[in-house]
Amino acid sequence: MAEQHAVAPGHADSAVPEATLPEAHHKASFWTLTLGAIGVVYGDIGTSPLYAMRETVMAATGGHHGTPVPLTRDLVIGILSLLLWALILTVSIKYVFLLLRADNKGEGGSLTLVALAQRALGRRSLPVLMMGMAGAALFYGDAAITPAISVLSALEGLKLVAPSFESYVLPGALAILIALFAVQSRGTGKVAAFFGPLTLLWFLTMAGLGLFHISDDWEVLLSFNPYYGVSFLVTHPGTAFAILGSVCLSVTGAEALYADLGHFGRNPIRVAWGTVVFPALALNYLGQGALVLSNPETITNPFFLLAPPWLLLPLVILATLATIVASQAVITGAFSLTRQAVQLGILPRLEVRFTSETHQGQIYLPRVNWLLLAAVVSLVLLFGSSSSLASAYGIAVFGTMVVTTILACLVMSRSWGWGPVKTGLVMVPLLLIDLTFLSSNLVKLLDGGYVPLVIAGVFFVLMFTWVKGTRILFEKTRKVDVPFLELVQMLEKSPPHRVKGTAVFLTSDPDTAPAALLHNLKHNKVLHEKNVILTVRSEDVPRVEDEDRVSIQHVGDSFWRIRLSYGYMETPNIPRGLAILRKQGFKFDIMATSFFLSRRSIRPASQSGMPLWQDKLFIGLAKSASDATDFFQIPTGRVVEVGTQVTV
């Protein structure tokens, strides 16, 4: 269980626009959810054909650099086989068939796996938490690269419409991306209505274009035989790593399958994959392969060259819209992941704005939004083309997948009762595939692969510093804190002056007297009629039902200890949580209630558990944290803040 440190400074694992609440699964029809899954869940993987085939063939033939290799029939069929079997093994078997079963009350995602793994172990495990932090950090790297590579690859089709358009690709991509991030604060509900139909049109178009060209060379159907893919790798050992490093581009976005489980449900996601997404991707790759075999010169951009000249411009426009959908899904996923990380205690409080009155999943985090925009714009300017960015893409994606697979092994072995042998037989081959793809991408480390690692490294250091700093701070303050029950006994023996109303003192540790209570007694020398020691906790479940949200304990004459519990997919609302108490017989008037918060001013200690630079980073994170009053949605006019100074 992750405790929500209500008085620690700045501290109290993908959200999508539609069907966010669990009850939405009942209200929305199955096919509505399936259509929504096509738009949001598969938006990212649906744009992979724009560049995956091209980059893999270029890697195999030395098209970007190295000694050119002839474009042979065996090469094209071998690459097609690798692309198709990457989709079958990684997406169909690992994610669609296996991981969609590893849900936490219907929710998925890497931080959900952390909660499940810790529950399976029966304790809060630091290695498991660190794996979750690594997966989350790598996701941020992916979230920065996906919009850049997707929009660039779509607009590069303009060069085929007219060569003179080439100079507009870069400024056009920047304009679209800046506009996309700028509208986030207005919410995505209205745009979301077009996600499903637009992406469905995109998949049908891809399928149609591929189907039209398969007849150019029917032998591409041989690629469904895995022998050709394996044989090609064996006979080309020198370029095998480079090839696999590009093949993995075909499965980018697969992690969204699991992350969006709670938003659409297991069956709609599976049906969307089996009936629309996989057939469309397979047909398009087969069509690209047949086109390249019949006309090798089309390898420069086989996706757009599938279209006849009259369809080229509409296809570029449709591709651009599809990449915007893919980018939107990643952005909202980053918002959701950040909120989960805050609730699980691995990031400081951040401002969360709700952009919909009916869907709590429609959230906007200003700092995350503008940090992502800065990263995306920097990547577009630094790399300039989708081919250059392709080198940076795979490390983040497969780093996240490796973490997910390892955590899933722990859950399957412990929670599912599979045991190590059955889990190993099923998951080790899939883990080896992930590790092979990851290592093949590490070869491209200096060609741009360092970018997601740098981004992920920054986020991991921030998360690790926050977790370590809050633990040190908690241990230091606990040494000088007054035991709460002792204080109650002292006050009963020599009661101070009483004033009317209710006082709520927020604390992370209900066993020690809150600093705000001690300061109130010391300086004001009064005690309220009713005094509530309130602790807010984050549970290892996505959401907590109202009947389980509040626990209350009467302590002494005028004291109550109350615990409010929230899931890691929820944002705490203390007034609404306390209102549940009325049903349990605890009467209070919110207008006669004062909330006391301790605002800690932190200074670096001469001797600390962290280096000086980490001390300063933790202090900076604490200062940048969202105000507790706003985060817990407490009425501002009812809050009294008491300042204390501590060292860390």
Side-chain angles (χ1 to χ4, degrees), residues 47 50 150-162 165-166 168-169 172-173 176 198 202 205-206 209 301 303-325:
T47 58
L50 285 166
S150 299
V151 174
L152 272 174
S153 61
L155 287 181
E156 282 166 357
L158 287 172
K159 294 186 287 187
L160 300 175
V161 177
F165 284 163
E166 183 170 1
Y168 294 101
V169 171
I176 288 172
L198 178 67
W202 168 248
T205 302
M206 283 200 300
L209 290 172
N301 205 326
F303 178 84
F304 283 110
L305 290 173
L306 287 172
W310 61 268
L311 189 59
L312 195 52
L313 185 57
L315 183 61
V316 171
I317 295 170
L318 180 60
T320 303
L321 293 173
T323 57
I324 290 172
V325 171

Side-chain angles (χ1 to χ4, degrees), residues 196-213:
L198 178 67
T199 313
L200 178 61
L201 176 61
W202 168 248
F203 279 117
L204 293 176
T205 302
M206 283 200 300
L209 290 172
L211 194 60
F212 181 73
H213 280 279

Side-chain angles (χ1 to χ4, degrees), residues 256-551:
L257 273 170
Y258 184 44
D260 290 328
L261 172 59
H263 307 135
F264 298 99
R266 182 184 297 120
N267 289 331
I269 291 175
R270 284 177 169 170
V271 169
W273 173 256
T275 59
V276 176
V277 182
F278 177 69
L281 293 173
L283 286 171
N284 193 265
Y285 283 127
L286 291 170
Q288 288 188 48
L291 177 66
V292 170
L293 284 175
S294 63
N295 184 3
E297 293 180 0
T298 57
I299 193 54
T300 54
N301 205 326
F303 178 84
F304 283 110
L305 290 173
L306 287 172
W310 61 268
L311 189 59
L312 195 52
L313 185 57
L315 183 61
V316 171
I317 295 170
L318 180 60
T320 303
L321 293 173
T323 57
I324 290 172
V325 171
S327 303
Q328 178 64 62
V330 171
I331 295 167
T332 50
F335 292 162
S336 177
L337 181 76
T338 304
R339 182 169 70 166
Q340 291 181 41
V342 170
Q343 283 293 85
L344 288 172
I346 58 179
L347 278 178
R349 285 192 306 260
L350 293 171
E351 180 187 359
V352 178
R353 297 181 192 171
F354 294 87
T355 58
S356 170
E357 294 181 1
T358 55
H359 293 288
Q360 67 171 6
Q362 289 190 34
I363 56 174
Y364 169 65
L365 282 76
R367 291 184 195 173
V368 176
N369 188 63
W370 300 120
L371 276 174
L372 270 181
L373 174 60
V376 169
V377 168
S378 299
L379 288 173
V380 171
L381 293 174
L382 181 63
F383 288 91
S385 71
S386 61
S387 290
S388 300
L389 264 172
S391 299
Y393 207 5
I395 292 179
V397 173
F398 279 92
T400 307
M401 287 188 180
V402 166
V403 169
T404 299
T405 305
I406 293 172
L407 290 172
C409 287
L410 187 58
V411 172
M412 290 171 181
S413 177
R414 294 290 190 96
S415 294
W416 293 10
W418 280 18
V421 176
K422 183 178 178 181
T423 302
L425 289 173
V426 174
M427 295 302 291
V428 167
L430 298 174
L431 179 60
L432 289 175
I433 292 172
D434 288 346
L435 289 170
T436 302
F437 278 133
L438 178 62
S439 57
S440 66
N441 276 280
L442 290 174
V443 174
K444 301 184 287 186
L445 193 62
L446 299 180
D447 291 335
Y450 62 89
V451 171
L453 288 183
V454 169
I455 296 172
V458 169
F459 276 99
F460 185 82
V461 169
L462 291 175
M463 292 176 185
F464 181 72
T465 299
W466 184 251
V467 170
K468 189 175 181 181
T470 49
R471 180 178 56 81
I472 292 172
L473 190 64
F474 181 76
E475 290 173 354
K476 278 196 170 186
T477 54
R478 186 158 190 167
K479 291 177 182 177
V480 297
D481 282 337
V482 177
F484 173 63
L485 294 179
E486 285 185 18
L487 178 67
V488 172
Q489 292 171 0
M490 290 166 54
L491 292 173
E492 286 178 346
K493 290 177 181 177
S494 57
H497 179 70
R498 297 289 182 127
V499 293
K500 291 184 178 181
T502 303
V504 178
F505 299 91
L506 270 74
T507 180
S508 60
D509 182 8
D511 294 324
T512 59
L517 172 59
L518 295 174
H519 280 269
N520 189 44
L521 289 168
K522 180 180 178 182
H523 297 291
N524 298 328
K525 297 179 174 58
V526 295
L527 193 66
H528 285 71
E529 285 179 326
K530 290 183 178 181
N531 298 276
V532 172
I533 309 303
L534 178 64
T535 306
V536 180
R537 286 183 179 269
S538 180
E539 305 288 353
D540 288 339
V541 293
R543 293 180 181 86
V544 175
E545 299 298 329
D546 278 352
E547 55 265 27
D548 302 322
R549 190 171 308 283
V550 180
S551 67

Side-chain angles (χ1 to χ4, degrees), residues 94-118:
K94 190 177 88 172
Y95 279 97
V96 174
F97 181 70
L98 287 172
L99 279 183
L100 285 185
R101 297 172 59 197
D103 68 298
N104 191 351
K105 292 192 175 180
E107 296 290 345
S110 58
L111 291 182
T112 285
L113 272 180
V114 170
L116 287 172
Q118 293 190 145

Side-chain angles (χ1 to χ4, degrees), residues 48-129:
S48 297
L50 285 166
Y51 44 79
M53 179 73 180
R54 178 191 70 206
E55 293 304 316
T56 308
V57 173
M58 289 291 189
T61 59
H64 290 314
H65 46 75
T67 306
V69 175
L71 184 65
T72 63
R73 178 171 294 272
D74 289 344
L75 182 145
V76 173
I77 293 177
I79 285 172
L80 276 176
S81 181
L82 291 171
L83 290 169
L84 291 173
W85 279 94
L87 290 171
I88 292 169
L89 293 173
T90 300
V91 184
S92 297
I93 294 178
K94 190 177 88 172
Y95 279 97
V96 174
F97 181 70
L98 287 172
L99 279 183
L100 285 185
R101 297 172 59 197
D103 68 298
N104 191 351
K105 292 192 175 180
E107 296 290 345
S110 58
L111 291 182
T112 285
L113 272 180
V114 170
L116 287 172
Q118 293 190 145
R119 189 187 306 165
L121 292 171
R123 56 186 169 82
R124 190 172 188 183
S125 166
L126 184 60
V128 168
L129 188 63

Side-chain angles (χ1 to χ4, degrees), residues 15-60:
V16 293
E18 295 298 322
T20 310
L21 295 171
E23 56 266 26
H25 287 238
H26 305 291
K27 293 178 182 177
S29 71
F30 177 83
W31 292 111
T32 302
L33 290 170
T34 303
L35 184 62
I38 291 171
V40 178
V41 176
Y42 297 109
D44 189 0
I45 200 170
T47 58
S48 297
L50 285 166
Y51 44 79
M53 179 73 180
R54 178 191 70 206
E55 293 304 316
T56 308
V57 173
M58 289 291 189

Side-chain angles (χ1 to χ4, degrees), residues 580-599:
I580 300 172
L581 286 171
R582 292 193 178 96
K583 298 177 183 178
Q584 300 185 17
F586 185 84
K587 304 296 183 182
F588 76 100
D589 179 7
I590 190 69
M591 298 310 295
T593 300
S594 297
F595 293 86
F596 289 82
L597 306 179
S598 297
R599 179 172 288 277

